[in-house]
Amino acid sequence: MEWEVVIGLEIHAQLATKSKIFSGASTAYGAQPNTQACAVDLGLPGVLPVLNQEAVRMAVKFGLAIEAEITHYSVFARKNYFYPDLPKGYQISQFELPIVGPGHIDIDVDGNTKRIGVTRAHLEEDAGKSLHADFQGLTGIDLNRAGTPLLEIVSEPDMRSAKEAVAYMRKLHELVRYLEICDGNMQEGSFRCDANVSVRPKGQQEFGTRTELKNINSFRFVERAINHEVERQIDVIENGGTIIQETRLYDADADETRSMRTKEEANDYRYFPDPDLLPIYIEDSLKAQLKSELPELPAAKKERFMSQFGLDQETAGILTSTRELAQFFELTVEASDNVVKLAANWISGDLIGALNKQSLEITESPIDPVRLGGLIKRISDNTISGKIAKQVFEAMWHGQDSADDIIEAQGLKQITDTGAIEAIIDTIIANNPKQVEQYLGGKEKVFGFFVGQVMKETQGKASPAEVNKMLKQKLKK
Amino acid sequence: MHNKTLIELAAGLRSRSYSSVELTQHFLSRIQQHQDLNAFITVSEDIALQQAEQADKKLANDDGGLLTGIPLAQKDIFCTDGVKTTCGSKMLDNFIAPYNATVVEKFNDAGAVMLGKLNMDEFAMGSSNETSFYGASKNPWNSDTVPGGSSGGSAAAIAARLTPAATGTDTGGSIRQPAALCGITGLKPTYGRVSRYGMIAYASSLDQGGPMARSAADAAQLLQMMAGFDTKDSTSVDHPVPDYSADLNQPLQGLKIGLPEQFFSDDLDQAIASVIQAAIDEYTKSGAQIKSVSMPHLDYAIPAYYVIASAECSSNLSRYDGVRFGYRCQNPQDLEDMYTRSRGEAFGAEVKRRILMGTYALSAGYYDAYYLKAQKVRRLISNDFKQALSEVDVLMGPVSPTTAFKLGEKTGDPIQMYLSDIYTIAINLAGLPAMSIPAGFVNEMPVGLQIIGNYFEEAKLLQTAHQYQMVTDWHQRTPHGFE
């Protein structure tokens, strides 16, 4: 039987506010346990939450960016359950009236654009962490993370493959970083994903029973976890079994999903409106103001790069994948006096390659756009060849000098004196009569030998085009 | 000294008739002398004397305000930095907050002296003080009877002149009912008038702190200090705080008093009804007009209240899990065991009952039938009050259907206990301000008159109460043995 996969994602994006969503404690990552948890985060008796307005603004920005309905009136609710790292015994979240209503995100998979619905996005606080190592059979609690603002973004079950799920996740990741509402750091848990997965016979209307895969925190794991779960579900059904609605945990080491709890074991969260917090009212004026503050979004930027710079879809996609990279590209184009094609190729090729090798972000690039633009200028005006440019690039990577300084100091300028090249060619032809004979006898491959010899003799500084032209003339004689 | 009003005490301090230290020592020794009332859970003698010394220095420089150097006491629901805050529960018997409630902070800033922390029903759940882990406080008018609750310790201490005034909190009547039963003056402000920050939550949408004192004039002084918007409490309201004492002495011109029919049904004890009627007659003598009003939804106040309050409390009290503070059972075997035994051993029966009721009311499949329905009833009750208060200036009626009942009389019958708040609960649901003032006696036990006003009209309530207290002396009566 042919099966169709149905996937919906719930993504938790940690909002990049300086302080927590309901307290003044810092949200900075990596502090000593419990040093960034104040009385409110600890859930001490009598303390009260006060909403961080910055978190609201960030949520609204997100909603505007996905063309969602921003609810005029939104309510915080308590989600009640006991867990040691949940200090109050409830999580402040949103239930019936989330801040962001239906919106959408367009993804590109295999050259096709597909629209994925976003059901809702709501604000909530994160829990703390339970630490099981180092406590000899006891559990340690670190509440630094408790109260960190999260935006939970819930998609429609619109994705039909793990690949689409990853594409959606990447798009969201790109978007929240463009909006500067989330640092997107997946290692630190700033961007986390749960996936709802089910399968159904192709053509069937109703959904199959779904399972929820928890905390799959890298793009690679999402794809693998979903594919595994899909295989497992198909196996179960094809062997006459039924899928149980349950929560499963992806174990990256074992590369498998395991049952965490079934629907029967699930908590009744007893949601009700939090009486400590007033409803959020979003005025139209705030929406308008935030809308005017939105940066150019990835999709629009990509379109512009294609139309303004004549880039192909793939290159435009790469160069707009982060706001910083796009900005780097635009500055490089400017510094190179608009040598767009070379700028695009050098950034998406050599530069990104070199950065990746050393796990550097574009913002940490040893070569800034002005220096890279200077190099590109010299390639474009034929001062150096592309091959020599790689050598200059290498030198720029390890030092502070400009391309011009390096070319000058190392004498890398292309030889434009045709007389000099001619003399070299003549000598080479004279010294290699056998090869000349072979070439004239029709063995055209030997031509490369002559080019190589000339380049060797000129240390690569002769213009390859010029050398080709002159060699062809000389060898005809 | 202990019979003086706050204004008299402040004048005495300023005229150097006595120092704050002397005044504080006087009240500390009275507290010591009347320990059997069990009004205090903690007496903070050392801190009180330190604060008194500091106050004396300020007073020597003619610094400070009206409350500088005046001894007061806090209901043990307000968190106090450095002095334990138990909320009347074994759960918090070891809890010392690292912060002050906003209300406490305000009194500290004003230079007031804190004598200690007053007894209360556990987590403010009770109408008799009998659910306190520390045992019930006793009514100074008759030590076999209850002082009311939950702010029973506050009411008993004021009636017995162990403190000139105190704070209380009122979720369903917890200021007014003990004030009535102990013959003192208590005011529950408009919801949002006084910050709830650092005031341990029972039912967040109903809880409101307020002053308890011997007279309306003193209550006005205390409310002046307590009221105001607080950025730490999102539900506090940014509404200007008037001078609550400014109009106290202004005669009431053509006051329109509404009498809710539902407050004067056959259920009301006849003797109490007569006392209330006599009080209302006093107002008519001074020109007030009386109007009967009907509030058809009041009958549903008690069930609606117990659904909403219990629902909120079931969630509010989840934080007491033995993990970070408070009571933890001995040798927990695992997490489940730690939760169940810590909570099972440290919460009393009434608290458990309300947590269970609230958990049930919020459960999947019951939420609409209970919680949502109760919220609808709440709106209808609020509308009843709004309608009534659009026709009259204040509403009047009894506070409690009976005078102070015997210790142990109702502990076996929760419904009977809940019914003792029948006249007070609806006001919390509506979020309105209301007072209880002494209006007479039945069988030598005090009876309270309830005055209910419109939102943020505390000044009018205080004025209405004060005008009555100018022509009556019920509020000056002192129980035997405490003169």
Side-chain angles (χ1 to χ4, degrees), chain A residues 23-41:
Chain A
S23 85
S26 167
T27 53
Y29 180 81
Q32 284 295 305
N34 298 311
T35 55
Q36 286 178 179
C38 68
V40 173
D41 307 319

Side-chain angles (χ1 to χ4, degrees), chain A residues 42 44-46 78 80 87 268, chain B residues 99 196 198 315-316 319 324 364:
Chain A
L42 291 171
L44 292 184
R78 292 185 184 178
N80 294 284
D268 175 358
Chain B
Y99 45 86
R196 292 189 298 116
S315 175
N316 283 334
R319 68 187 60 199
R324 299 166 316 287

Side-chain angles (χ1 to χ4, degrees), chain B residues 289-305:
Chain B
Q289 299 168 33
I290 306 297
K291 188 177 181 204
S292 179
V293 294
S294 180
M295 295 198 269
H297 300 99
L298 280 190
D299 289 347
Y300 305 105
I302 287 200
Y305 170 86

